[in-house]
Amino acid sequence: KNQVEQSPQSLIILEGKNCTLQCNYTVSPFSNLRWYKQDTGRGPVSLTIMTFSENTKSNGRYTATLDADTKQSSLHITASQLSDSASYICVVSPTGGFKTIFGAGTRLFVKA
Amino acid sequence: KAGVTQTPRYLIKTRGQQVTLSCSPISGHRSVSWYQQTPGQGLQFLFEYFSETQRNKGNFPGRFSGRQFSNSRSEMNVSTLELGDSALYLCASSLARGGGLEQFFGPGTRLTVL
């Protein structure tokens, strides 16, 4: 069964610190893996999108990595800001037009 | 280019009523997917429409239905509302089916059932 699991469930860090969020998936084969940021009560906003052949993608202070062998992805946030407080969702799209699989998300709290 | 729009943004209904939510995708996008998100829960897939046809469906009761028009705009209907239907309903549009290309989300409709 295709699954996407994220860890940790929630995380509290101090402003200015770095953090790494994890995503383990069993979806195979897949066409792309994405990370979204969702502020409370808003729709998710895309941060990065990687195909199965890519192993890293950056978007400002956000860097996503992908290890297709271990079926793991991570999202690294550098020099965190208060505005980074949000849920981060890992999403994997199988090939063949099948349903996209969403992780449950990691809730990040950045404290001053 | 305008993003995905959803109307209304907020809605309050009572149990037993029915509701219709609307989603306008990004111009040129033919796939519209609907999701339910409850507090503390991940996004739960409702259904996907592509070229006016339902292509995929999640595990929701028949009270949840949808349709897509020839201009790719989509509506979602929930009949006989229950308290547990209170949630943020999100739609996402994409060029291709199945979210194989990037999905762009709307701001959501916050539905409260009293």
Side-chain angles (χ1 to χ4, degrees), chain A residues 32 34 36 38 46 93 99-100, chain B residues 37 45 98-100 102-103:
Chain A
N32 64 68
R34 309 167 221 153
Y36 284 90
Q38 184 179 22
S46 179
S93 291
K99 284 184 294 187
T100 295
Chain B
Q37 188 175 42
F45 174 74
E102 187 168 4
Q103 285 182 308

